[in-house]
Amino acid sequence: MAEQNAVPVEASQSLPERPKDDASAAEDGKKGPSKNELKKLAKEKAKAEKAAKIKAEEEARKKEADANDVSKADYGELPMLGSQPYTAPETKVERVSLAQLADKYSTTEPDENADIVFRAEVENARNQSAKLAFLVFRQGLSTIQAVVAASDTLSRQMVKFSGSIPSESVVLVTANVKKPFEPVKSTTIQNLEVHVKKLFIVAKADAQLPMQVADAERPIPAEGQEEQQADDGKPIVTLNTRLNNRVIDLRGKHNHAIFRIKDGITLLFQEFLRSKGFMGANTPRLLGAPSEGGASVFEVSYFATKAFLAQSPQLYKQMLIAARFERVMEVGPIFRAENSNTARHLTEFTGLDMEMAFEEDYHEVVTMLEELMLFIFNGLRERYKKESDLVRSIYQVEDFKLPEAGKVPRLHFKEGIQMLRDDGVEIGDFDDLSTPDEKRLGALVLKKYGSDFYVLDQFPLAIRPFYTMPSAETQAAYDPKNPNAGYSNSYDFFMRGQEIMSGAQRIHDAAFLEKRMREHVTPVDSKSDGLRDYVNAFRYGCPPHAGGGIGLERIVMLWLGLPNVRLASLFPRDPSRLLP
Amino acid sequence: MAEQNAVPVEASQSLPERPKDDASAAEDGKKGPSKNELKKLAKEKAKAEKAAKIKAEEEARKKEADANDVSKADYGELPMLGSQPYTAPETKVERVSLAQLADKYSTTEPDENADIVFRAEVENARNQSAKLAFLVFRQGLSTIQAVVAASDTLSRQMVKFSGSIPSESVVLVTANVKKPFEPVKSTTIQNLEVHVKKLFIVAKADAQLPMQVADAERPIPAEGQEEQQADDGKPIVTLNTRLNNRVIDLRGKHNHAIFRIKDGITLLFQEFLRSKGFMGANTPRLLGAPSEGGASVFEVSYFATKAFLAQSPQLYKQMLIAARFERVMEVGPIFRAENSNTARHLTEFTGLDMEMAFEEDYHEVVTMLEELMLFIFNGLRERYKKESDLVRSIYQVEDFKLPEAGKVPRLHFKEGIQMLRDDGVEIGDFDDLSTPDEKRLGALVLKKYGSDFYVLDQFPLAIRPFYTMPSAETQAAYDPKNPNAGYSNSYDFFMRGQEIMSGAQRIHDAAFLEKRMREHVTPVDSKSDGLRDYVNAFRYGCPPHAGGGIGLERIVMLWLGLPNVRLASLFPRDPSRLLP
């Protein structure tokens, strides 16, 4: 292979040369040329000589120009970093961040003579004239305008080079910071611009990208809307195209904001629970048997046998309570083999899980979880306002209405049903809520209590998993002919009328647990491989405990009002997507 | 099924009554009794009457005693919490923690008249006499002696009940704190004991457990050593038995310490990197194609197709760098389908991963990683001394020798080879280190530099993955006939002579990456499903970057000197273990 002969470092520095047009005429065969052919050849020879002369003159001009290029050492493409000892002109010079720059000069005047050095991406570059090029540089959420102006110390060649850098290339810049004549409208930093002195390409982007970052920064089309032009003539790129080109898509500033916020939620979750004595745990994702119902579990080839991917850390976090850890939390991937291609389902998502022993009443845990959620919401407001505002400037959504501390609406399931009935919904006492009913109830709660966040408590026993503790009144009214009647010590948390967390008190007594396993709507075998150790854990003395699991992507989606949960996953997985 | 008729709450409260002996004689058939038989019947009747009388007297005595039991309301089994409105005698009374108690009274005298209330586990209980029972209560890493002494206000019945509570039961205690006559040797809190006033069982443990927590708190037997008695006559429980009964095993105090430390490492990792601007990310575990070599990857049935479990977040964290996130970290499960049943291998472990763009030299990243590791080690020393000491009291190991900040030994691979050769090892310039060689080199480095932690830099190109950046000198000396010769910008970090982290500068140029993919010792197809998007990411302008991945369980093992990595996993997975 020809490329194997190239010195590796060159691969990034220059495109392979195109084969030169062969100027000599083709020799079709052995027979001599005709008169016409001779005439033609002479003509072509003259043409070629003329071309060669022009070319030689051009080269001489270029050589002279290069010799006269005062900026020769101040621009160009750097060799691939790591490929040779570092040779950039600004070695060991401290790099500045654009965000810090904006902060620093938000109130004071910039020092226009100080050189600053930074690495950035080129959002766009254009040659205004032979003497002037404009670029926009980006770092994270910050963009700034750059001016490259020809002068005694800056050549036209450098201006031309600068204005021709492909968008999305990574560059190393030395510049002065100045105040622009008027605020720059198209950049996030509007009261500053940089005047370029040196400009090197660190990593060159292809001239043609499969999609533009600017297009990724516009809302995804509504469901059913095809890829087409919007009213303003700009293209609307479908979600599918974006996800197929996720690396470019993720460069969108709103996407950076989304994933900063997502990380912030994890941080706030851990911060709050650690302050309450929770220990982070890592429970297995590979299970020897499907433990929570076999329907939506992924099967794994495991040497000579099979394994199954965890649908939640439920049984394991409970076993940790039985192992005396008292308060445990876990952040980790959750796998659900549900063949649902909706805007709300992923086959792999991030679970924020917690479980704790309590003293007297599982509402101790509900209260803790309410406080946790308020801590997260208020933390997002305080620490991630800029990011939230940025995303909401694209996906317009009402600000999230929060209740005061200690005043989270907590409704008995009965009360929720009654509110729906009063609103005209026909629904049975113990029916599970449909998605539209959930949204409707969310709207009713918002109207009545002024909160986008509320808790529905005491769900019907029949619609909860086997490990859920029946409520006291349900146990008192136990009827062996109808063992799943009544309510349970379980709860869902809702944001904007959509469930974000499910939780419950769990049965901590082995004999009673076995009984519930037999009597459950979908009976399970307490002696099966996947459940035996779990049930046994409660024979060894286990404190009463409750907990819950939060779908991280769902909170991100609902906090920001995103139209699709895939937008809250870096590389989303659904039944038809495993790439990239 | 009979159990279905029981009121659920009773399941935890009492064992089913045994069938009473039938006192009436058997009627064998229709024929009349013989003389002997009549005599026998009369004798039996008299015996039965006598027994009935004795029983009646006993019951009367018991009734009287119960009536006279001054402690009647102060002990017993509580109904299952959650099964009825909370009825324990100490409702809404603040619970104390034993650890706080020990802190509080470490210098001052306890207030002997103040009642304290707490939930704890019974480590053991025994009746010293009819008037005196001793128990040991436990909470987490703390144990305290409890005295139950008969008095005018505390009945012998209560003493008997207390001394008979099965070990590992969960209890609710009201007590006074006193100074013991002499320090208690068998508990962690030695200068205090509690005098019990009320004692309720919250969750009763089975009388016979499959293994004892105390046995779990002894070292695992050496490899090859069978389950048997140690010299002191106590049983040695094998690792396998412990893992089969992991919930009881995990109750061991040293296990609590191990997993607190493990969580501490994660916390310190995140704390340090967040302070340096790293963002936490969640990359997928389900991949559409095996991306890093197909040999040790688990295959998943994914609807109509197949998926593969991530062997690392390598390609994804690099794609996030290409997506402009600059500095990313991830804590998550890693899956390796290696059929290795050694003390060092798990099929599922926790990866602490990081990746960052750098400015001039990948050693910027090496330095950051060295600082990270020192931050973790020093953090463990400062914050987890008690836990480390506790584990090391069981698994005796030398304290971990740390270098000063900025003085982490960083050896060129050449230097490592030379040290081994000087020590008599026969090894080629570019050979990979065997595990014994690694340990030997660790010992040599410890001797020479006084550090259990060091970095080996510039590994041979041929033994690193395709995405590793060849070193500058290697690129300069490129020979197409031997494209994998020379060194690379890659490093391993070692603790006690065992590798804990692998990392490198990655190739950030698509054309060069494709070339390396073709020329690698094990060539890979850059156009395959699993790699196409990854390679394309570097066509869009990606900054130079490097990173690394740490095996969390391995650090825990090596920090504490554990003899088996399984001891650092809550529920370890290996080729022959998927349960519990």
Side-chain angles (χ1 to χ4, degrees):
Chain A
M1 283 177 284
E3 286 114 317
Q4 288 195 333
N5 295 319
V7 177
V9 65
E10 291 187 347
S12 69
Q13 291 181 65
S14 54
L15 294 167
E17 283 181 34
R18 285 162 190 242
K20 282 169 189 148
D21 288 340
D22 195 347
S24 69
E27 281 184 69
D28 288 330
K30 297 286 179 187
K31 61 174 174 143
S34 69
K35 246 189 187 175
N36 270 349
E37 284 170 338
L38 283 173
K39 206 173 168 186
K40 199 177 167 195
L41 280 176
K43 209 172 170 183
E44 278 175 359
K45 194 181 168 202
K47 201 176 164 189
E49 277 167 359
K50 196 179 170 189
K53 196 181 160 202
I54 290 171
K55 198 178 171 193
E57 281 170 5
E58 252 173 29
E59 274 170 9
R61 261 202 304 278
K62 190 164 183 297
K63 208 168 171 184
E64 199 191 325
D66 277 356
N68 293 335
D69 185 350
V70 291
S71 303
K72 215 164 35 178
D74 296 338
Y75 69 97
E77 282 187 52
L78 290 179
M80 184 168 60
L81 255 72
S83 71
Q84 47 182 269
Y86 190 69
T87 52
E90 305 295 351
T91 305
K92 307 269 178 194
V93 175
E94 201 201 344
R95 269 61 166 160
V96 302
S97 100
L98 295 181
Q100 282 164 6
L101 207 67
D103 273 356
K104 187 175 170 187
Y105 296 129
S106 62
T107 48
T108 63
E109 293 289 308
D111 175 0
E112 300 201 345
N113 296 315
D115 282 1
I116 60 162
V117 178
F118 60 91
R119 173 167 52 81
E121 300 95 47
V122 175
E123 193 168 275
N124 59 64
R126 66 190 162 91
N127 285 302
Q128 178 84 350
S129 70
K131 289 178 164 184
L132 187 62
F134 285 107
L135 294 90
V136 173
F137 292 139
R138 180 185 157 187
Q139 271 181 359
L141 299 184
S142 306
T143 55
I144 196 165
Q145 175 163 277
V147 181
V148 188
S151 70
D152 292 349
T153 56
L154 198 153
S155 67
R156 290 186 179 208
Q157 291 96 319
M158 179 168 165
V159 172
K160 190 177 172 196
F161 167 86
S162 303
S164 312
I165 297 175
S167 295
E168 295 300 315
S169 296
V170 179
V171 290
L172 178 66
V173 187
T174 303
N176 297 135
V177 187
K178 301 198 176 178
K179 275 197 99 66
F181 288 115
E182 53 184 36
V184 185
K185 280 183 191 151
S186 58
T187 55
T188 68
I189 301 173
Q190 309 201 321
N191 63 330
L192 298 173
E193 64 183 15
V194 291
H195 288 239
V196 170
K197 294 176 73 175
K198 299 179 187 177
L199 185 55
F200 293 92
I201 296 178
V202 174
K204 196 171 182 171
D206 281 4
Q208 288 294 324
L209 302 185
M211 63 178 274
Q212 301 305 312
V213 176
D215 295 333
E217 289 182 340
R218 299 152 56 78
I220 57 169
E223 229 163 305
Q225 194 180 358
E226 288 304 304
E227 192 149 350
Q228 57 185 25
Q229 289 199 334
D231 296 342
D232 58 7
K234 288 179 183 160
I236 293 181
V237 183
T238 62
L239 179 59
N240 210 36
T241 302
R242 295 179 197 212
L243 295 180
N244 287 342
N245 297 285
R246 189 62 164 158
V247 166
I248 298 177
D249 185 38
L250 282 174
R251 290 181 179 178
K253 284 185 281 291
H254 67 296
N255 272 331
H256 273 242
I258 286 171
F259 292 100
R260 288 271 165 205
I261 288 167
K262 186 175 182 181
D263 181 39
I265 293 171
T266 303
L267 172 65
L268 291 161
F269 174 84
Q270 293 175 326
E271 194 175 304
F272 178 86
L273 290 180
R274 281 194 196 284
S275 78
K276 302 289 184 187
F278 282 75
M279 182 186 83
N282 309 99
T283 66
R285 306 291 118 173
L286 289 170
L287 311 183
S291 45
E292 294 183 72
S296 58
V297 63
F298 287 114
E299 198 179 290
V300 182
S301 297
Y302 194 81
F303 306 105
T305 180
K306 283 175 186 173
F308 302 87
L309 291 181
Q311 293 157 280
S312 87
Q314 181 60 36
L315 308 190
Y316 286 91
K317 61 184 182 168
Q318 284 190 254
M319 285 196 270
L320 292 178
I321 299 296
R324 312 276 184 238
F325 285 96
E326 284 282 318
R327 295 182 170 198
V328 293
M329 62 173 175
E330 180 161 20
V331 177
I334 304 282
F335 306 95
R336 300 271 168 90
E338 290 169 12
N339 204 343
S340 306
N341 280 289
T342 78
R344 300 171 0 120
H345 286 87
L346 294 168
T347 52
E348 177 180 350
F349 62 92
T350 307
L352 306 181
D353 269 275
M354 61 83 80
E355 196 76 23
M356 65 181 270
F358 64 81
E359 301 298 339
E360 302 180 10
D361 179 349
Y362 80 98
H363 287 107
E364 295 164 29
V365 183
V366 180
T367 302
M368 171 87 80
L369 287 169
E370 287 170 359
E371 284 171 16
L372 165 66
M373 294 312 301
L374 288 182
F375 181 82
I376 291 174
F377 296 143
N378 287 315
L380 288 177
R381 282 209 171 148
E382 284 157 26
R383 304 188 205 171
Y384 297 89
K385 189 182 180 319
K386 189 172 115 185
E387 287 83 357
S388 299
D389 288 350
L390 200 157
V391 179
R392 288 176 187 165
S393 72
I394 294 174
Y395 292 106
Q396 275 114 34
V397 72
E398 297 270 311
D399 191 30
F400 194 84
K401 290 196 184 49
L402 274 184
E404 283 172 52
K407 293 195 176 168
V408 178
R410 192 192 290 172
L411 278 60
H412 192 292
F413 191 81
K414 270 183 213 168
E415 211 178 328
I417 294 290
Q418 194 54 53
M419 283 174 77
L420 283 171
R421 282 183 186 154
D422 291 349
D423 200 50
V425 178
E426 279 184 37
I427 186 166
D429 281 354
F430 297 101
D431 286 359
D432 204 355
L433 301 182
S434 67
T435 303
D437 284 348
E438 281 182 356
K439 287 192 180 163
R440 190 152 174 175
L441 186 53
L444 293 171
V445 171
L446 176 61
K447 202 171 159 192
K448 186 167 175 184
Y449 298 97
S451 173
D452 274 313
F453 169 50
Y454 81 101
V455 177
L456 202 57
D457 190 16
Q458 297 271 310
F459 270 68
L461 181 60
I463 59 173
R464 304 297 277 207
F466 62 81
Y467 45 71
T468 309
M469 180 69 86
S471 68
E473 59 181 357
T474 291
Q475 291 189 48
Y478 176 74
D479 172 6
K481 284 181 199 126
N482 194 7
N484 294 302
Y487 298 98
S488 63
N489 291 348
S490 64
Y491 36 86
D492 276 7
F493 283 39
F494 291 87
M495 276 174 78
R496 301 192 200 269
Q498 293 197 53
E499 183 245 309
I500 49 155
M501 190 181 69
S502 235
Q505 180 182 352
R506 334 292 186 175
I507 298 169
H508 60 279
D509 177 274
F512 185 47
L513 180 59
E514 287 174 313
K515 183 172 147 64
R516 282 295 308 152
M517 286 169 142
R518 285 192 303 272
E519 293 185 352
H520 193 258
V521 177
T522 323
V524 290
D525 179 4
S526 63
K527 302 210 164 29
S528 65
D529 277 353
L531 293 171
R532 194 178 45 241
D533 295 305
Y534 168 72
V535 174
N536 282 340
F538 305 111
R539 297 189 207 285
Y540 313 146
C542 177
H545 58 284
I550 304 173
L552 175 55
E553 286 78 4
R554 221 169 241 199
I555 298 192
V556 173
M557 171 176 80
L558 295 170
W559 176 256
L560 294 170
L562 303 178
N564 195 307
V565 73
R566 288 167 185 76
L567 298 173
S569 175
L570 284 165
F571 298 95
R573 295 295 180 248
D574 64 36
S576 54
R577 177 174 291 283
L578 280 167
L579 294 172
Chain B
M1 283 178 284
E3 288 112 315
Q4 287 196 336
N5 294 317
V7 176
V9 65
E10 290 187 349
S12 69
Q13 289 180 67
S14 56
L15 296 166
E17 284 179 34
R18 284 161 189 242
K20 282 171 192 149
D21 288 339
D22 195 347
S24 68
E27 282 184 68
D28 289 328
K30 295 288 176 190
K31 59 171 175 145
S34 70
K35 245 191 188 172
N36 270 350
E37 281 169 344
L38 281 174
K39 208 172 164 185
K40 200 179 166 192
L41 278 176
K43 209 172 167 182
E44 278 174 357
K45 196 185 167 199
K47 202 175 160 189
E49 277 166 359
K50 197 179 164 189
K53 198 182 157 199
I54 290 171
K55 199 181 170 189
E57 282 169 6
E58 251 173 28
E59 272 171 10
R61 261 201 305 277
K62 191 167 183 291
K63 207 170 171 184
E64 201 191 324
D66 278 358
N68 293 333
D69 185 350
V70 291
S71 303
K72 216 165 35 180
D74 296 338
Y75 69 96
E77 282 187 50
L78 290 179
M80 184 168 60
L81 256 73
S83 70
Q84 46 181 271
Y86 189 68
T87 53
E90 305 294 354
T91 305
K92 308 267 178 197
V93 176
E94 202 199 344
R95 268 63 167 159
V96 301
S97 100
L98 295 181
Q100 282 165 7
L101 208 65
D103 274 356
K104 188 174 169 189
Y105 296 130
S106 63
T107 48
T108 63
E109 293 290 307
D111 175 358
E112 299 201 345
N113 297 314
D115 283 1
I116 60 161
V117 177
F118 60 93
R119 173 167 51 80
E121 300 97 45
V122 175
E123 193 168 273
N124 58 65
R126 66 190 164 90
N127 285 301
Q128 178 84 348
S129 71
K131 290 178 164 181
L132 188 63
F134 286 107
L135 295 90
V136 173
F137 292 138
R138 180 186 157 186
Q139 269 182 1
L141 298 185
S142 306
T143 56
I144 197 164
Q145 175 164 275
V147 180
V148 189
S151 70
D152 291 351
T153 56
L154 198 153
S155 69
R156 290 185 179 207
Q157 292 95 321
M158 179 168 164
V159 172
K160 191 178 170 192
F161 167 87
S162 303
S164 313
I165 296 175
S167 295
E168 295 300 315
S169 296
V170 179
V171 291
L172 178 65
V173 187
T174 304
N176 296 136
V177 187
K178 301 198 177 179
K179 274 199 100 66
F181 288 115
E182 51 184 39
V184 184
K185 280 182 190 150
S186 58
T187 55
T188 67
I189 301 174
Q190 310 201 322
N191 64 330
L192 299 173
E193 64 183 15
V194 291
H195 288 238
V196 170
K197 294 175 74 174
K198 300 179 188 177
L199 184 55
F200 294 92
I201 297 178
V202 174
K204 197 171 182 171
D206 281 4
Q208 289 293 326
L209 301 184
M211 63 179 273
Q212 302 305 311
V213 175
D215 295 334
E217 289 182 340
R218 299 152 56 77
I220 57 169
E223 228 164 306
Q225 194 179 356
E226 288 303 306
E227 192 150 351
Q228 58 186 25
Q229 291 198 332
D231 295 342
D232 58 5
K234 288 179 184 159
I236 294 180
V237 184
T238 61
L239 180 59
N240 210 36
T241 302
R242 296 181 197 212
L243 295 180
N244 287 342
N245 299 284
R246 189 61 162 160
V247 166
I248 298 177
D249 185 38
L250 283 173
R251 289 181 180 179
K253 284 186 280 291
H254 66 296
N255 272 331
H256 273 241
I258 288 172
F259 293 101
R260 287 273 164 204
I261 288 167
K262 186 176 182 181
D263 182 38
I265 294 172
T266 304
L267 171 64
L268 290 161
F269 174 85
Q270 293 175 327
E271 196 176 301
F272 178 85
L273 291 180
R274 281 194 196 287
S275 78
K276 303 288 183 189
F278 282 75
M279 182 185 84
N282 309 98
T283 65
R285 306 292 117 171
L286 289 170
L287 310 183
S291 45
E292 293 184 73
S296 58
V297 64
F298 287 114
E299 199 180 289
V300 182
S301 296
Y302 195 81
F303 305 104
T305 180
K306 282 174 186 173
F308 302 87
L309 291 181
Q311 293 158 279
S312 88
Q314 182 61 39
L315 308 189
Y316 286 92
K317 60 183 184 169
Q318 284 191 256
M319 285 195 270
L320 292 178
I321 299 296
R324 311 276 185 240
F325 284 97
E326 284 283 318
R327 295 181 171 198
V328 293
M329 62 173 174
E330 180 160 22
V331 177
I334 304 284
F335 306 95
R336 298 272 168 90
E338 290 169 11
N339 204 343
S340 307
N341 279 287
T342 79
R344 301 172 358 123
H345 285 87
L346 294 169
T347 52
E348 177 179 351
F349 62 92
T350 307
L352 305 181
D353 269 276
M354 61 83 78
E355 196 76 25
M356 64 180 272
F358 63 81
E359 301 297 339
E360 301 180 10
D361 180 348
Y362 79 99
H363 287 106
E364 294 164 30
V365 183
V366 180
T367 301
M368 171 87 79
L369 287 168
E370 287 170 357
E371 284 172 17
L372 165 66
M373 294 312 301
L374 287 182
F375 182 82
I376 290 174
F377 295 142
N378 287 315
L380 288 177
R381 284 212 169 145
E382 284 158 25
R383 303 187 206 172
Y384 297 88
K385 187 180 182 320
K386 190 173 113 186
E387 287 83 359
S388 299
D389 288 349
L390 200 157
V391 179
R392 289 176 187 164
S393 73
I394 295 175
Y395 293 104
Q396 276 112 34
V397 72
E398 297 270 310
D399 190 31
F400 195 86
K401 291 196 183 50
L402 275 184
E404 284 171 52
K407 293 195 175 166
V408 178
R410 191 193 290 172
L411 279 60
H412 192 291
F413 190 82
K414 270 184 211 166
E415 213 178 327
I417 293 290
Q418 193 54 53
M419 283 174 77
L420 283 171
R421 282 182 186 154
D422 292 347
D423 200 49
V425 178
E426 280 184 36
I427 187 166
D429 281 355
F430 298 101
D431 285 358
D432 204 354
L433 301 183
S434 66
T435 304
D437 284 347
E438 281 182 356
K439 287 191 180 166
R440 189 155 177 172
L441 185 54
L444 293 171
V445 171
L446 176 61
K447 201 171 158 193
K448 184 166 177 185
Y449 299 97
S451 173
D452 273 314
F453 169 51
Y454 80 100
V455 176
L456 202 57
D457 189 18
Q458 296 271 313
F459 270 68
L461 181 61
I463 60 173
R464 304 297 279 205
F466 62 80
Y467 45 72
T468 309
M469 181 70 86
S471 68
E473 59 182 355
T474 291
Q475 292 191 47
Y478 177 75
D479 171 7
K481 282 179 200 128
N482 193 7
N484 294 301
Y487 298 97
S488 62
N489 291 348
S490 64
Y491 37 87
D492 276 7
F493 283 39
F494 290 88
M495 274 174 80
R496 302 194 201 268
Q498 292 197 53
E499 182 245 309
I500 50 157
M501 190 180 70
S502 237
Q505 179 182 352
R506 333 293 187 176
I507 298 168
H508 60 278
D509 177 273
F512 186 48
L513 180 59
E514 287 173 312
K515 180 172 150 65
R516 282 296 307 151
M517 286 168 140
R518 284 191 304 272
E519 293 186 351
H520 193 257
V521 178
T522 324
V524 290
D525 179 5
S526 63
K527 300 206 165 33
S528 66
D529 277 353
L531 293 171
R532 193 176 47 239
D533 294 306
Y534 167 73
V535 174
N536 281 341
F538 304 112
R539 296 189 209 284
Y540 314 146
C542 176
H545 58 284
I550 304 173
L552 176 55
E553 286 78 5
R554 221 168 239 198
I555 298 191
V556 174
M557 171 176 79
L558 295 170
W559 177 255
L560 295 169
L562 303 178
N564 194 307
V565 72
R566 287 165 185 78
L567 298 173
S569 174
L570 285 165
F571 298 95
R573 295 295 181 248
D574 64 35
S576 55
R577 179 173 290 281
L578 280 168
L579 294 173

